[in-house]
Amino acid sequence: MIYKNLYIIGNGFDQHHGMPCGFPRFMKWIMQHDAPLFYKLNKIYHNKVWTEDWWNDFENSLANLNISVYVNIKGDLYDPEYINNGSIDEKTEYASHKVIEEFSAIKKSLRTSFQKWLFKAYGELNIDKKIPLQGEDSVFLSFNYTRTLEDIYGIKPEQIFHIHGIIDDLDSMIVGHGLGLTELIDILERQKPRVLGEVINKKFNLMTRLQLVTPRHIELATASALESIYSLKKDIDGCIEKNIRFFDDILDVKRIIVYGFSFSPIDMPYLKKIVRRTSPETHWVISWYSQEDKRRIMDFVIKFNIQNFTITCGIKNISIQ
């Protein structure tokens, strides 16, 4: 299919339409409707989830765990000396198993609560906030989980690519941070050196510069914590592969209109792919809301050498003529 326009749709688009879908609101919803999950997060992330700053950058915050502190608490709690039953190996593995068990439960609960919260927020969508969209000859890349484009604007589903999944399909919804394993290990190395790299090497086939200064049950808990945090990473390569038809359909677009998109580092791989698949002459039209948005936009156009662009304050002020 040949399209003339590409729309990139971010969270600010739904917020413009009246959806209270900022992540700090998700924090308040969890406190009211899933208190056990909130307190588990608070325990793991060492009281940081009480702050709106943690939720403003929610997905990246999922990777911001002080692994050293966490595994020492978990390792001390399940120290083999205090476990009466089982072999030495079973005792040593116990802390590791508890870490994986804890994170697996949180990952499942987070996605379920996230979906429930989005459904509630989606119910507050305001049809009167519609803005001009050029539906014909256009393709849409949506980073939102909602069906705002379909339900309010009547855009055909085959024109829309929900890159991170859709609200009514829990299994398709992808939430997570953007840090790779090497970056997570670097963060751990900047924390107190408490573990032996051999354990991490065995699990991930990577070398580290850490030295052995702690018991084996804490080593295993650390490796499991790294594995668990890494499991919260968005599978960006998988998302691109799943939506490969989108990247084939944008070769001829003449204009890229960006609504309510944050230009987060997590999403840079998608933008990099879009820049490579479109012409240098393609005109980018980008909305911004805050000065931080504006700074990120300028960082993007400089990094990718975008020459033909217009930035506009506010979604409704973008001209599509």
Side-chain angles (χ1 to χ4, degrees), residues 141-153:
L141 180 66
S142 178
F143 286 80
N144 300 337
Y145 306 90
T146 57
R147 295 190 181 274
T148 308
L149 290 168
E150 296 95 324
D151 293 345
I152 287 188
Y153 293 91

Side-chain angles (χ1 to χ4, degrees), residues 284-297:
W284 289 70
V285 184
I286 308 171
S287 70
W288 61 275
Y289 178 76
S290 68
Q291 289 299 319
E292 176 62 18
D293 294 338
K294 199 172 182 181
R295 181 191 66 77
R296 287 185 174 182
I297 292 168

Side-chain angles (χ1 to χ4, degrees), residues 235-298:
D235 180 12
I236 293 176
D237 290 339
C239 290
I240 289 175
E241 183 63 29
K242 186 176 180 180
N243 293 275
I244 196 64
R245 184 169 67 85
F246 163 78
F247 295 100
D248 290 337
D249 285 349
I250 63 173
L251 296 173
D252 298 309
V253 299
K254 306 301 181 186
R255 182 172 52 182
I256 299 174
I257 304 103
V258 185
Y259 283 153
F261 186 66
S262 67
F263 288 87
S264 168
I266 293 177
D267 299 320
M268 283 300 118
Y270 303 117
L271 296 178
K272 182 178 180 179
K273 186 86 170 177
I274 289 171
V275 171
R276 288 182 172 179
R277 299 292 281 177
T278 54
S279 167
E281 286 76 37
T282 301
H283 183 203
W284 289 70
V285 184
I286 308 171
S287 70
W288 61 275
Y289 178 76
S290 68
Q291 289 299 319
E292 176 62 18
D293 294 338
K294 199 172 182 181
R295 181 191 66 77
R296 287 185 174 182
I297 292 168
M298 294 311 300

Side-chain angles (χ1 to χ4, degrees), residues 23 40 54-55 62 66 68 84 98 106 109 117 125 127 137 167 172 180 198 201 218 229 253 269 294 304:
F23 279 117
K40 285 179 184 177
W54 195 89
W55 292 90
L62 290 173
N66 191 318
S68 178
N84 295 322
K98 294 303 292 185
I106 284 177
S109 296
W117 167 69
L125 205 64
I127 193 171
D137 300 323
I167 189 173
S172 75
E198 290 178 3
N201 296 342
I218 293 185
I229 292 296
V253 299
K294 199 172 182 181
F304 291 97

Side-chain angles (χ1 to χ4, degrees), residues 36-51:
L37 172 60
F38 182 84
Y39 285 106
K40 285 179 184 177
L41 286 170
N42 190 59
K43 181 180 177 182
I44 288 176
Y45 289 95
H46 204 55
N47 299 319
K48 292 182 179 180
V49 299
W50 287 102
T51 68

